[in-house]
Amino acid sequence: MTIIVEKVDVLNNKQHKKRFIDLPFTLYKEDKNWVPLLKMESNKMFSAKHPFYQTADVSFWIAIKDGVDVGRIMAIVNKNYLEFHQDETGHYGFFEAIDDSEVFNSLFKASSEWLKSQGLSKMQGPFNPSTNYESGNLVRGNNERPVLMMPYNPSFYEKHIEALGFSKVKDLLAYHIDSQFQMPEIITKIADRAESKNKITYRTISKKNWAQEAELMFEIYNDAWEKNWGFIPMTREEFMAMAMDLKTVADEKLILFSLVDGVAAGFIVALPDFNQVLHKIPNGKLLPTGIFKVINAKKYMTGVRVITMGVKKEFRKLGLETILYHRCHENIKSYKQYKDIEMSWILEDNLNMNKPLIRMGAKPYRTYRIFEKDL
């Protein structure tokens, strides 16, 4: 049968938005590893009011086969990316499809032609919708459920995307380690020495002052990650929106600031794995029964994800990264309920991040790939 690709106005048309959000629920109905996002969160992401769209132009398509929606894609012109990197790369994201090469071809053809019409010469992804959110196509570890804010897809995606001429541009790694691991003595010594030598202290975050704490994280964030591959500066509005979303799942003891002479220099964020709760809400709706899973969330969560850690440039080489790892781990260990820690994602060639994790005994157990193709 012929594949029909329909351009849809997800940000402004309620019916189109519903189809775009509902499609994965149909595709993954029998997949025990897929974790649905709450539909109320998807509705916020696909609202024209979301601050991401203040600095990006996007287009959406849905593929239809035999009268049924069987795939979707979003094409992205990220103005912050283009200004910061000074190149002509467009992005794609929120891609889902059945195991059908024609569906893949039709969706990528429509989105790549649109990006080309915007004056771009490369297509890169997946990003949902940028490196500041879910990123990468899962190419290793498809047999397990993903943790909080990490994407999932079937293994057949890789072959179809490569068949369209896309190739790897970068791999993102996820590390796993048992929460009760013994921190190597060399790391604890480095942390202790750095603390005493440089008047370094640390403190946990305060939910009572969340807005002010988020402002502090925002100040550190754009400074700390500026030189990383694929970095895209976040606007204050975008960062604050994300911070407010994270507040509901945040544990004060698992988000720490490091301070040098009383000045905030770096932070680390670990979050309870709320995906273990979301997995128990297969329809993505809080009502009528999903709300009770959320209320009893602590009962289901046995894992933690370290989602980010960064230090301002002027405070590099003081051992702050080691201190943050060490102190955060101590706090995670104090909870008997947390058995597993995932640290993700880490650029495959970021040796400053990979080496300490390997030294701790962490194992890279999932790989998320960023693909690229010349237009």
Side-chain angles (χ1 to χ4, degrees):
M1 292 290 296
T2 302
I3 308 297
I4 298 172
V5 177
E6 179 184 351
K7 190 172 184 179
V8 288
D9 186 4
V10 171
L11 300 185
N12 300 295
N13 183 298
K14 288 184 179 180
Q15 183 183 8
H16 291 176
K17 180 190 293 189
K18 186 178 186 303
R19 286 172 59 197
F20 200 83
I21 291 173
D22 286 350
L23 193 145
F25 287 85
T26 302
L27 297 186
Y28 292 110
K29 189 176 181 179
E30 305 300 327
D31 192 328
K32 66 183 188 333
N33 293 321
W34 180 66
V35 179
L37 188 65
L38 288 176
K39 288 186 177 181
M40 60 182 287
E41 294 301 320
S42 292
N43 273 294
K44 283 200 295 187
M45 182 73 249
F46 297 123
S47 166
K49 296 180 181 179
H50 193 286
F52 173 78
Y53 304 109
Q54 294 175 7
T55 56
D57 294 326
V58 297
S59 280
F60 302 83
W61 292 265
I62 291 176
I64 305 164
K65 183 177 182 180
D66 297 334
V68 178
D69 293 345
V70 293
R72 71 178 196 180
I73 198 168
M74 171 183 179
I76 308 151
V77 178
N78 192 314
K79 297 172 187 176
N80 277 353
Y81 173 92
L82 296 174
E83 182 179 348
F84 186 81
H85 291 276
Q86 293 295 303
D87 67 14
E88 298 176 342
T89 301
H91 300 139
Y92 76 89
F94 296 106
F95 174 81
E96 306 288 356
I98 62 172
D99 188 0
D100 185 319
S101 59
E102 290 185 34
V103 173
F104 274 72
N105 180 62
S106 299
L107 286 168
F108 275 98
K109 181 180 179 182
S111 53
S112 62
E113 287 180 351
W114 182 80
L115 288 174
K116 194 172 181 180
S117 74
Q118 304 302 302
L120 302 176
S121 60
K122 286 185 179 180
M123 185 176 186
Q124 195 179 85
F127 301 114
N128 301 338
S130 80
T131 51
N132 295 313
Y133 301 81
E134 291 185 358
S135 301
N137 184 95
L138 185 61
V139 296
R140 182 166 69 104
N142 309 72
N143 58 339
E144 297 177 275
R145 291 202 300 265
V147 302
L148 179 69
M149 297 173 65
M150 292 298 286
Y152 171 80
N153 57 264
S155 57
F156 63 78
Y157 277 31
E158 182 181 4
K159 69 176 182 181
H160 287 309
I161 292 172
E162 289 181 342
L164 294 173
F166 285 84
S167 58
K168 166 192 164 181
V169 64
K170 191 73 66 176
D171 275 352
L172 316 175
L173 305 179
Y175 283 83
H176 173 268
I177 195 166
D178 185 282
S179 66
Q180 300 301 309
F181 79 93
Q182 188 65 38
M183 187 69 74
E185 185 178 359
I186 187 172
I187 289 181
T188 59
K189 283 185 176 180
I190 291 172
D192 291 341
R193 189 184 309 124
E195 280 183 336
S196 59
K197 181 180 178 182
N198 299 291
K199 296 182 180 179
I200 296 171
T201 57
Y202 68 96
R203 69 171 178 83
T204 55
I205 203 167
S206 167
K207 274 195 172 183
K208 289 182 180 179
N209 302 308
W210 189 261
Q212 296 93 316
E213 302 284 52
E215 291 281 4
L216 198 53
M217 286 191 284
F218 174 63
E219 177 188 329
I220 297 170
Y221 183 86
N222 276 343
D223 183 87
W225 278 267
E226 184 179 1
K227 299 301 181 183
N228 282 2
W229 177 89
F231 172 75
I232 301 174
M234 293 185 81
T235 64
R236 179 187 173 280
E237 292 75 17
E238 190 179 359
F239 190 91
M240 293 304 153
M242 180 180 288
M244 291 309 297
D245 286 342
L246 294 182
K247 183 181 179 181
T248 50
V249 298
D251 182 322
E252 289 176 310
K253 287 182 64 177
L254 304 185
I255 303 176
L256 294 88
F257 288 104
S258 59
L259 301 95
V260 178
D261 291 327
V263 178
F267 72 92
I268 188 168
V269 177
L271 295 173
D273 182 15
F274 203 71
N275 268 16
Q276 293 176 301
V277 180
L278 295 177
H279 188 259
K280 298 181 180 297
I281 311 175
N283 65 357
K285 297 179 180 180
L286 285 180
L287 298 176
T289 60
I291 187 66
F292 298 108
K293 304 297 183 184
V294 174
I295 291 172
N296 296 300
K298 288 185 178 179
K299 169 179 165 182
Y300 305 114
M301 294 186 292
T302 61
V304 170
R305 179 189 167 206
V306 180
I307 69 168
T308 190
M309 190 268 288
V311 174
K312 284 184 176 180
K313 291 190 290 292
E314 64 180 293
F315 297 110
R316 303 270 169 84
K317 299 182 180 179
L318 294 181
L320 296 184
E321 295 88 349
T322 305
I323 291 173
L324 288 167
Y325 273 135
H326 177 46
R327 299 305 177 190
C328 187
H329 175 240
E330 289 296 308
N331 287 3
I332 292 172
K333 278 204 309 182
S334 70
Y335 290 93
K336 290 185 179 180
Q337 75 190 81
Y338 296 135
K339 310 297 183 185
D340 302 286
I341 303 173
E342 176 172 304
M343 290 157 282
S344 59
W345 45 265
I346 315 293
L347 292 168
E348 62 178 331
D349 51 1
N350 187 341
L351 299 182
N352 290 333
M353 292 293 289
N354 285 289
K355 283 184 177 180
L357 296 181
I358 293 170
R359 182 178 285 171
M360 292 176 201
K363 305 290 184 184
Y365 77 131
R366 289 179 184 150
T367 302
Y368 296 83
R369 183 157 296 165
I370 305 299
F371 291 100
E372 183 178 87
K373 179 183 179 179
D374 288 334
L375 299 178

